[in-house]
Amino acid sequence: MSHTLHLFNPWHDEALAANVQFYSPSLAGRKLAHVLAELPRIWGEEDDEYLQLPESGRVKDLLSPDWTKINSIDPWGWDNHVVEIFQRLGAPEALLPTAEQLREIRHLSSRANVSELLVEDSEYLLFARPGVIPFSSTFCRSMQEVTAALEPLEGRAMLKSPWSSSGRGVFPIKGTLDPVAAARVQKILQQQGGIEVQSLHEVVANFAFEYHALPDGTVEYDGLSLFQAALGGAYLGNLVAHPAIMERELCTLLAPLAAGWGIAETELPQLLHHLQSSLAQLLSRWLHARYVGPLGVDLLVTPTGIHPCVEINLRRTMGHVAVAIGHQQADTTPLQLLQISLDGWQLVPLSSAESLG
């Protein structure tokens, strides 16, 4: 019987930014990969195999798997570095993406594509209803373009490097670009070739829709993910519960805001379903089968409405992990918080009152 080989490579986004085959992940990234090597068991099959990298990152310290028993490889995300790891372990080329596929994955994973996706919204699938706010996303390739993008936003913006994760490479601007911020922008432009300038909004809560892109080009919905983030955008953890509880929790949070958005509280589930299905259509049309695998879209709750596409993560996310755990739970199990650290992962009991505050 053939199985899938899983690998948790949490430095994936940093490897995309580096864009070199012989990339050396940070010590924290190597430790996290070592400690959480078994994390994919949450969504993997019982007989699958799980590769644990040593903290040193030295592939030569690993025993190669029996490739005659492996019919697919499922890393956290595909990049040049992870392909190099599997090549050194003797993986058949048929199980690995080609150089062209890797270039496409890197291109599609850039934050430039939030702006590109908005261009695809020609039918106004996202915005043609109350409760969804217009927003600005401009991908800039020079300091002059950054300055021009900031002008209509009156200096209030969220700036994002093309490839980063968990809040790293993301920082707000609340006024003019001071010398420190300007130097940071210039460094990102030099190292990654561009930077995204988004309109800045007051944050009430963060959530995401988790999907899978299929080989036939369709995008299939996996579930709703609610997560906590610090004011600067750093990831803190995901809520975990049965899907029905998760949607009810989000609707409860949105209820006090609904009247101000011009909709009834009873219309909130319909609004969420509209956004979920509309994004699936847009993603399918935009990706056009150029990517197959898990992906997620982050959304933002503000006092004036929902920002429907803050970020696109073209890889597996902690939201997918939380959704997978939630599908395994009863609809009477209380909310929990999934926390990730260098000590491993744990589920912490959480009351509804604490959930998204």
Side-chain angles (χ1 to χ4, degrees):
M1 180 181 293
S2 298
H3 312 296
T4 296
L5 176 63
H6 298 267
L7 173 65
F8 178 58
N9 54 314
W11 58 76
H12 165 66
D13 296 279
E14 296 172 9
L16 288 178
N19 198 31
V20 293
Q21 188 175 30
F22 300 103
Y23 169 73
S24 179
S26 65
L27 177 60
R30 297 197 306 268
K31 285 185 175 180
L32 202 60
H34 178 76
V35 169
L36 295 175
E38 298 288 306
L39 189 69
R41 288 192 184 277
I42 293 172
W43 62 89
E45 299 295 331
E46 183 178 352
D47 294 329
D48 284 351
E49 297 189 27
Y50 303 86
L51 186 64
Q52 183 177 42
L53 297 176
E55 285 189 25
S56 66
R58 290 193 297 266
V59 179
K60 66 180 182 181
D61 294 338
L62 287 173
L63 291 175
S64 295
D66 182 352
W67 291 109
T68 64
K69 297 180 180 179
I70 304 296
N71 68 349
S72 64
I73 300 174
D74 185 17
W76 188 253
W78 281 112
D79 52 65
N80 280 315
H81 176 61
V82 78
V83 166
E84 190 264 338
I85 289 175
F86 287 121
Q87 286 175 333
R88 291 175 64 183
L89 291 173
E93 289 298 317
L95 299 183
L96 302 174
T98 65
E100 177 57 34
Q101 287 173 323
L102 286 173
R103 283 192 292 270
E104 191 73 271
I105 289 171
R106 183 175 186 268
H107 165 70
L108 293 172
S109 298
S110 167
R111 286 195 170 103
N113 292 301
V114 170
S115 306
E116 184 176 320
L117 186 70
L118 296 183
V119 175
E120 293 291 320
D121 190 20
S122 57
E123 297 175 8
Y124 302 101
L125 291 172
L126 295 180
F127 301 109
R129 63 187 305 140
V132 184
I133 61 172
F135 64 98
S136 168
S137 171
T138 306
F139 193 75
C140 305
R141 292 177 172 82
S142 69
M143 186 61 78
Q144 290 78 9
E145 290 182 3
V146 171
T147 302
L150 287 173
E151 186 174 352
L153 302 178
E154 299 180 346
R156 292 182 54 82
M158 188 69 79
L159 273 60
K160 300 183 176 185
S161 58
W163 297 279
S164 66
S165 65
S166 302
R168 293 182 292 274
V170 175
F171 57 100
I173 297 294
K174 299 180 180 179
T176 58
L177 264 180
D178 60 53
V180 174
R184 187 173 182 181
V185 169
Q186 192 63 55
K187 183 178 181 180
I188 292 171
L189 289 171
Q190 291 173 348
Q191 293 182 340
Q192 299 194 30
I195 191 168
E196 183 192 6
V197 178
Q198 281 192 357
S199 50
L200 183 65
H201 300 273
E202 181 182 343
V203 180
V204 175
N206 300 276
F207 70 102
F209 291 132
E210 311 299 344
Y211 298 95
H212 256 81
L214 304 179
D216 65 1
T218 59
V219 173
E220 188 175 82
Y221 179 61
D222 287 343
L224 170 67
S225 159
L226 281 71
F227 62 95
Q228 294 181 329
L231 291 177
Y235 171 79
L236 298 177
N238 264 89
L239 296 188
V240 173
H242 184 275
I245 295 179
M246 197 66 71
E247 181 172 315
R248 189 162 63 244
E249 177 71 13
L250 180 55
C251 287
T252 298
L253 178 88
L254 301 180
L257 304 170
W261 297 352
I263 62 175
E265 182 179 336
T266 54
E267 295 178 277
L268 288 170
Q270 182 183 359
L271 172 62
L272 294 177
H273 296 162
H274 162 76
L275 288 173
Q276 171 258 306
S277 61
S278 297
L279 280 166
Q281 292 178 53
L282 288 172
L283 288 165
S284 176
R285 190 167 62 194
W286 168 64
L287 288 172
H288 199 59
R290 292 179 293 170
Y291 169 81
V292 175
L295 70 150
V297 177
D298 292 351
L299 298 89
L300 184 68
V301 180
T302 80
T304 55
I306 295 175
H307 181 322
C309 186
V310 178
E311 193 162 304
I312 304 168
N313 292 302
L314 220 65
R315 53 167 169 77
R316 197 175 298 277
T317 69
M318 285 300 169
H320 283 97
V321 180
V323 167
I325 298 173
H327 279 294
Q328 299 166 12
Q329 295 191 337
D331 59 6
T332 54
T333 304
L335 278 163
Q336 297 173 292
L337 181 67
L338 171 66
Q339 292 184 324
I340 303 292
S341 72
L342 293 178
D343 295 321
W345 68 275
Q346 61 177 343
L347 291 176
V348 180
L350 192 76
S351 71
S352 178
E354 299 173 308
S355 61
L356 293 170

